[in-house]
Amino acid sequence: MRIDVVSIFPTIFDALEVSLLGKARQTGLLDVRVHDLRDYTHDRHRTVDDTPYGGGAGMVMKPEPWGLALDDIAQDAAEPPVIVFPSPAGERFTQKIARELSHEDHLVFGCGRYEGIDERVFDYAAGLGRVRLLSLGDYVLNGGEVAVMAMVEAIGRLIPGVVGNPESLVEESHEDGLLEYPSFTKPASWRGRDVPPVLLSGNHGAVATWRREQQIERTRERRPDLLPD
Ligand code: ADE
C-alpha cells in the first residue's frame, strides 16, 4: 500500500520508521511518503495560512499550497487514491473504516492545523480521489498529525503480513463489535491475585464460553453503546 502524508510538521511521522510499521516499510509492504506542505509555497516566509473571510479567531490554511501538493501526489498515482482529511468535524474513525481502508492501494492524508483548511480544498480533492473527513473522537487536537498517526497504525496493521501472527488480529476489541476479553500469563498467582481457574482447566470449550461472557460483561459495563438494544 502507498501512503502519502501532507503536513507542516513532517518530522512527526519519523515515528513510523520504528516497530511493525517500520519493518513493513523496509520489506516493501508499506510505501510511506511524507510531504512538507511548505515545499508547495512560493513566498519567502513559506506561508500556509491566512485570516478567515468573515472574521473570527484563528487562521485558516490557504488553498494554493494544498492544491499544488495534491496535484503533485495525484500526478504519479496509478489510480485515484482515497484522500483522508482528519477533522473533529468528520465521520468517526472506527475499526470498520480501518479495515475498509486497509484494502485500498493508495491513501493520502492531509493534516490540517489552525482553524482548518479552506473548504474549497475538499471539493478540489474530490476531483482527484475519494475524499473522507474522519475524526478520531469527540475531542479537539491541535492538528491532524496525531490523528493520522493513529489512523495509519490502525490501518497498516491490518495489511496482511504487517502483524506477524494474523490470528492475534481476530480476537481484538472491536473486531466482533465487542471489547476484548481479559488476558493473563504466568505466574498463576501474583501478589495475592489468582488467574481465573477456568483458564487453567485445559477445557477449551469452557475457556471459550468464559471469554465470550467476559466480553459481553465488559462491553455492558464500559461501552453499552456498542451493544444492540
Ligand atoms: N484534528 C483535530 N482534532 C481532531 C480529531 N478529533 N480527529 C481528527 N482530526 C483532528
Side-chain angles (χ1 to χ4, degrees):
M1 177 191 282
R2 174 174 161 191
I3 295 180
D4 288 273
V5 180
V6 182
S7 164
I8 57 167
F9 295 117
T11 56
I12 290 181
F13 297 94
D14 289 354
L16 293 176
E17 279 161 25
V18 299
S19 190
L20 290 177
L21 294 191
K23 211 161 150 213
R25 291 177 75 177
Q26 277 169 16
T27 60
L29 280 173
L30 264 186
D31 171 11
V32 181
R33 309 178 194 184
V34 182
H35 311 263
D36 186 342
L37 183 67
R38 292 192 198 276
D39 290 346
Y40 298 94
T41 58
H42 291 117
D43 63 311
R44 213 156 50 89
H45 301 290
R46 313 220 302 156
T47 311
V48 291
D49 61 331
D50 207 335
T51 52
Y53 276 122
M59 300 289 269
V60 176
M61 289 188 118
K62 294 160 65 62
E64 298 96 325
W66 279 106
L68 293 173
L70 293 170
D71 286 347
D72 190 25
I73 292 166
Q75 144 211 288
D76 64 348
E79 297 284 330
V82 172
I83 307 175
V84 174
F85 292 99
S87 163
E91 179 190 359
R92 174 75 71 87
F93 179 72
T94 59
Q95 187 68 15
K96 181 166 169 272
I97 293 178
R99 194 163 281 285
E100 270 167 44
L101 295 180
S102 75
H103 295 125
E104 296 290 340
D105 292 328
H106 187 190
L107 303 177
V108 178
F109 290 93
C111 302
R113 281 264 150 184
Y114 314 113
E115 295 307 306
I117 303 173
D118 186 295
E119 190 71 19
R120 292 167 291 183
V121 171
F122 308 123
D123 184 55
Y124 180 74
L128 300 173
R130 283 163 288 151
V131 171
R132 295 189 76 160
L133 268 70
L134 297 176
S135 171
L136 213 53
D138 295 337
Y139 43 81
V140 179
L141 304 167
N142 282 335
E145 282 79 3
V146 168
V148 167
M149 287 291 293
M151 291 178 199
V152 168
E153 180 153 323
I155 296 162
R157 66 195 293 283
L158 296 175
I159 297 170
V162 171
V163 171
N165 178 3
E167 276 188 33
S168 62
L169 299 176
V170 176
E171 296 191 333
E172 292 177 323
S173 290
H174 304 295
E175 271 304 329
D176 58 2
L178 296 172
L179 302 185
E180 195 176 14
Y181 54 75
S183 299
F184 302 86
T185 185
K186 293 175 258 316
S189 186
W190 176 73
R191 299 195 179 187
R193 292 158 174 86
D194 293 341
V195 169
V198 64
L199 298 178
L200 310 176
S201 69
N203 181 338
H204 298 301
V207 169
T209 305
W210 180 83
R211 285 180 167 166
R212 194 72 188 169
E213 285 164 6
Q214 290 289 312
Q215 281 193 281
I216 294 166
E217 193 47 43
R218 279 189 153 187
T219 309
R220 199 186 342 261
E221 263 175 43
R222 301 178 187 173
R223 294 293 306 277
D225 56 300
L226 296 177
L227 291 172
D229 299 331

